[in-house]
């Protein structure tokens, strides 16, 4: 039976899913020929996106099938359910193939759930109406266990984040204190250099003053010595006053 005879919307969704299956088949064939790890990783990511789109379309197919279930015959509904299970099985085969390539490429599989099962291994494999109470309870327990595990992982991540934050804060505090000490030491060095510069200037001025005084004393001594020499050589020179402590020259009579 052609799906277009049952529902145009279901037929359109099936066409989209079949297009994705063809793209996945071609993509995995292309992946076998790629040797570069980076290119393989990018190819796997593209195939993962396609599988997510396929999963979404299968869910949409199931939702539309349930909406039209009351208008279809029992055989039609059974045919639609078998077609959906066939789509799920084919998608799970591609998921398993993707996991195999991901493990070979040493990459973490982010597409699968915590248990590493197929996309529909835990949901929508069976209709809720066809599941027994025991199956429903087991499924609920598995979902609760997975939720508890996810919560525990989240707690561990939060604790690790808090520890890393505390270590980072302590390291920043230590670096800040070290920077403060360095700044204080630089201020002390700057003050010492400024004070030393002032002392050097004062010493320079004192040395210059002492040199001027020594030069003046030297000139005075030279002047006194010159006067004494001139007076002794020419005692009758009236332009030069008598030097205190030096006896006046004796008057000589000319013959």
């Amino acid at each position: 039976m052609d799906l277009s005879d049952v529902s145009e919307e279901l037929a359109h969704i099936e066409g989209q899913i079949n297009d994705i299956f063809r793209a996945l088949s071609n993509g995995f064939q292309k992946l076998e020929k790629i040797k570069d790890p980076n290119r393989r990783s990018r190819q796997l990511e593209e195939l993962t996106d396609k599988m997510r789109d396929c999963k979404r379309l299968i869910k949409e197919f199931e939702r539309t099938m349930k909406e039209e279930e009351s208008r279809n015959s029992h055989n039609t509904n059974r045919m639609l359910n078998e077609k959906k299970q066939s789509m799920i099985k084919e998608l799970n085969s591609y998921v398993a193939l993707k996991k195999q390539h991901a493990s070979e490429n040493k990459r973490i599989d982010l597409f699968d759930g915590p248990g590493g099962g197929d996309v529909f291994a835990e949901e929508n494999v069976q209709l809720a109406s066809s599941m027994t109470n025991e199956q429903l309870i087991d499924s609920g327990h598995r979902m609760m266990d997975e939720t508890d595990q996810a919560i525990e992982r989240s707690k561990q991540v939060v604790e690790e984040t808090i520890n890393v934050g505390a270590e980072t804060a302590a390291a920043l505090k230590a670096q800040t204190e070290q920077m403060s000490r360095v700044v204080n030491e630089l201020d002390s060095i700057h003050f010492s250099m400024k004070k030393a510069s002032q002392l050097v200037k004062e010493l320079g001025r004192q040395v210059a003053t002492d040199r001027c005084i020594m030069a003046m004393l030297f000139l005075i001594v030279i002047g006194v010595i010159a006067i004494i020499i001139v007076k002794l050589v020419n005692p009758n020179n009236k332009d030069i006053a008598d030097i205190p402590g030096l006896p006046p020259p004796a008057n000589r009579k000319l013959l």
Side-chain angles (χ1 to χ4, degrees):
M1 180 184 295
D2 192 0
L3 273 183
S4 59
D5 297 334
V6 179
S7 172
E8 292 292 338
E9 186 175 0
L10 290 175
H12 178 68
I13 295 173
E14 183 191 26
Q16 291 180 316
I17 293 173
N18 290 332
D19 291 340
I20 292 177
F21 283 154
R22 284 192 292 270
L24 288 173
S25 178
N26 295 331
F28 279 109
Q29 291 178 2
K30 180 180 178 181
L31 185 64
E32 295 288 344
K33 302 176 182 179
I34 298 176
K35 302 300 181 182
D36 182 55
N38 294 328
R39 291 183 58 194
R40 288 177 61 88
S41 299
R42 289 194 295 269
Q43 181 70 9
L44 280 174
E45 290 175 359
E46 292 177 0
L47 294 173
T48 301
D49 292 337
K50 292 183 182 298
M51 285 186 279
R52 288 195 180 101
D53 292 338
C54 187
K55 177 181 176 180
R56 177 182 56 80
L57 289 171
I58 292 177
K59 287 184 176 181
E60 187 177 351
F61 183 91
E62 181 182 10
R63 178 184 58 78
T64 306
M65 184 180 68
K66 289 180 178 180
E67 291 177 355
E68 299 180 357
E69 185 176 4
S70 60
R71 298 194 297 269
N72 298 328
S73 64
H74 177 71
N75 292 332
T76 301
N77 290 330
R78 186 178 62 181
M79 181 271 294
L80 293 175
N81 189 40
E82 291 176 355
K83 187 172 289 293
K84 186 197 73 170
Q85 296 298 334
S86 175
M87 293 175 183
I88 293 172
K89 184 177 179 180
E90 186 171 359
L91 176 59
N92 284 335
S93 66
Y94 286 119
V95 173
L97 189 60
K98 177 251 181 183
K99 288 178 60 179
Q100 179 182 354
H101 286 286
S103 62
E104 292 175 358
N105 206 34
K106 296 181 180 181
R107 290 183 59 86
I108 299 174
D109 192 349
L110 298 178
F111 183 73
D112 297 323
D118 295 337
V119 177
F120 287 92
E122 297 297 333
E123 61 176 10
N124 293 331
V125 176
Q126 295 178 333
L127 291 174
S129 59
S130 64
M131 295 176 66
T132 63
N133 292 335
E134 185 178 355
Q135 289 174 333
L136 289 172
I137 292 173
D138 291 339
S139 179
H141 286 167
R142 284 195 298 270
M143 292 178 65
M144 291 175 63
D145 292 338
E146 292 176 0
T147 303
D148 292 338
Q149 292 175 4
I151 292 173
E152 291 298 326
R153 288 194 297 271
S154 300
K155 288 181 179 179
Q156 292 178 0
V157 171
V158 170
E159 290 177 358
E160 292 176 358
T161 303
I162 292 174
N163 293 333
V164 172
E167 293 175 358
T168 304
L172 288 174
K173 183 178 180 181
Q175 291 180 359
T176 303
E177 292 176 353
Q178 184 178 2
M179 290 295 295
S180 299
R181 290 194 297 269
V182 171
V183 171
N184 293 333
E185 291 177 358
L186 288 175
D187 291 339
S188 300
I189 293 172
H190 179 70
F191 177 76
S192 300
M193 291 180 64
K194 186 176 181 180
K195 189 173 182 180
S197 178
Q198 292 177 352
L199 291 174
V200 169
K201 290 180 180 179
E202 292 178 359
L203 290 174
R205 286 194 294 267
Q206 291 179 1
V207 170
T209 302
D210 293 341
R211 287 181 178 178
C212 291
I213 293 172
M214 292 296 294
M216 291 178 64
L217 290 175
F218 179 75
L219 292 175
I220 292 171
V221 171
I222 294 299
V224 171
I225 292 174
I227 292 172
I228 292 172
I229 293 173
V230 171
K231 193 66 175 175
L232 291 176
V233 173
N234 190 7
N236 295 322
N237 190 352
K238 300 299 183 180
D239 294 332
I240 301 175
D242 293 335
I243 299 173
L246 185 67
N251 292 329
R252 296 179 181 178
K253 293 181 180 181
L254 298 174
L255 297 176

